[in-house]
Amino acid sequence: MNKRTAFFISDGTGITAEALGKSLLAQFERIQFEFVTKPYIDTVQKAQALLLVINETAQRDGSRPLIIDTVVDQKIRDVLHSSEAFKIDVFSTFLSPLEQELSSQSSYTVGRTHAIPKDASYKSRIDSVHFALDNDDGARTHQYDKADVILVGVSRCGKTPTCLYMALQFGIRAANYPFTEEDMFDFNLPKALKPYKHKLFGLTIDPQRLAAIRHERRPGTRYSSLTQCEREVHEVEELYRRHAISFVDSTHYSIEEISTRILAECGIERRFSPK
């Protein structure tokens, strides 16, 4: 398999360069990439130091590294563009055509993408994260009337990170409730969930994957045994079908994909788009 090094470079957090870069490079499945993220390259001196690293990488690999950058300062860009690398300058690629179409000059402001917004979306995001943390693992079922969605599933199937992602990225108030053996014994919904059946969305997972995850937490216990995991997954999927609860298998999907699918199937509108 071919191997290449990809540098994601920014004068800010590097989130935009990394997200776009990984999305593009994911299309090349036959190439193994080593990702290197370099945020806050905001001076010529930092760029010159990084230039040495990039050129040394080119010599080591025997092939040009890739650079995907969101640097706005032209002097810093000139340093990076003198490197022995293949370069994709995100801002110049997209801003120049937009300037022509909009008949307006870009501000080329450093850190503009991820700055704290002046509207209420930032507060909404933080409030949603607090809600997800307060309502994690069935901690406060009395707040379910305020939830946009309630994720349910067996322990360690991915409920908590999915709730936090939806809160942080979309401002969604997401709670989660872990099914126990007692909950699944008679295939009835727990009392705390019955009034909010319309808000429920289930997660399931491959039993072998679940056993591996639980083994890291509690090795050698009944909780992490494959037999127990197979039983719990089977019973929770039967519960979903019995109560017509939509669910998705989290085994092979990223948190981003799971979250987007949940919002689409539940008809939940994002309060804002991810930054």
Side-chain angles (χ1 to χ4, degrees):
M1 179 178 288
N2 293 332
K3 296 182 179 180
R4 299 289 289 269
T5 301
F7 287 87
F8 306 128
I9 304 172
S10 175
D11 44 23
T13 63
I15 293 173
T16 300
E18 184 176 3
L20 177 60
K22 287 185 176 180
S23 295
L24 292 172
L25 298 180
Q27 305 303 314
F28 299 90
E29 298 177 359
R30 296 182 179 180
I31 300 176
Q32 180 179 335
F33 292 101
E34 178 184 348
F35 298 130
V36 180
T37 302
K38 294 293 183 180
Y40 300 111
I41 305 299
D42 50 9
T43 67
V44 170
Q45 290 74 21
K46 290 181 181 179
Q48 290 171 337
L50 181 55
L51 175 66
L52 297 177
V53 174
I54 294 170
N55 289 342
E56 288 173 359
T57 301
Q59 293 297 318
R60 182 199 69 195
D61 293 350
S63 59
R64 291 195 298 172
L66 310 177
I67 289 179
I68 298 175
D69 78 81
T70 54
V71 175
V72 298
D73 186 291
Q74 188 59 52
K75 292 181 180 178
I76 296 174
R77 288 161 63 185
D78 289 342
V79 173
L80 296 176
H81 286 198
S82 68
S83 66
E84 300 173 19
F86 175 79
K87 294 162 284 291
I88 299 177
D89 183 335
V90 174
F91 281 163
S92 65
T93 299
F94 296 107
L95 286 182
S96 294
L98 281 171
E99 287 175 337
Q100 295 179 21
E101 176 63 26
L102 299 175
S103 300
S104 178
Q105 188 70 26
S106 165
S107 65
Y108 285 87
T109 304
V110 177
R112 182 75 176 177
T113 307
H114 298 283
I116 296 177
K118 296 180 180 179
D119 56 29
S121 64
Y122 184 75
K123 184 178 184 302
S124 175
R125 176 184 296 152
I126 297 304
D127 289 346
S128 297
V129 170
H130 286 163
F131 183 90
L133 292 172
D134 288 343
N135 292 274
D136 184 43
D137 261 358
R140 297 187 180 181
T141 58
H142 65 278
Q143 294 186 349
Y144 283 177
D145 60 317
K146 299 180 178 65
D148 296 310
V149 64
I150 304 168
L151 298 192
V152 292
V154 300
S155 172
R156 311 302 290 177
C157 68
K159 301 183 300 299
T160 296
T162 303
C163 285
L164 289 173
Y165 180 85
M166 289 192 291
L168 184 60
Q169 293 295 311
F170 306 128
I172 300 302
R173 293 186 297 272
N176 77 78
Y177 184 98
F179 283 132
T180 64
E181 287 188 84
E182 291 75 18
D183 292 327
M184 294 180 286
F185 183 74
D186 58 2
F187 298 107
N188 283 324
L189 286 177
K191 183 178 179 181
L193 297 179
K194 287 182 178 179
Y196 308 105
K197 182 180 174 182
H198 61 291
K199 295 184 178 184
L200 301 184
F201 194 95
L203 294 185
T204 189
I205 187 172
D206 177 76
Q208 290 188 335
R209 174 60 179 156
L210 180 61
I213 294 171
R214 289 183 174 183
H215 180 77
E216 294 177 0
R217 186 180 179 90
R218 299 182 193 171
T221 63
R222 177 171 174 268
Y223 170 78
S224 61
S225 70
L226 180 58
T227 299
Q228 178 66 16
C229 292
E230 288 176 336
R231 178 187 174 192
E232 289 186 28
V233 170
H234 171 75
E235 290 182 354
V236 80
E237 289 183 0
E238 286 297 316
L239 187 146
Y240 293 153
R241 297 184 182 98
R242 181 183 181 91
H243 294 281
I245 298 172
S246 298
F247 66 96
V248 63
D249 189 332
S250 65
T251 308
H252 302 297
Y253 289 109
S254 67
I255 292 174
E256 294 87 344
E257 291 172 309
I258 295 169
S259 300
T260 303
R261 181 168 297 196
I262 290 170
L263 298 188
E265 293 198 21
C266 293
I268 300 173
E269 293 292 332
R270 306 175 181 186
R271 288 190 171 83
F272 47 77
S273 297
K275 297 296 182 181

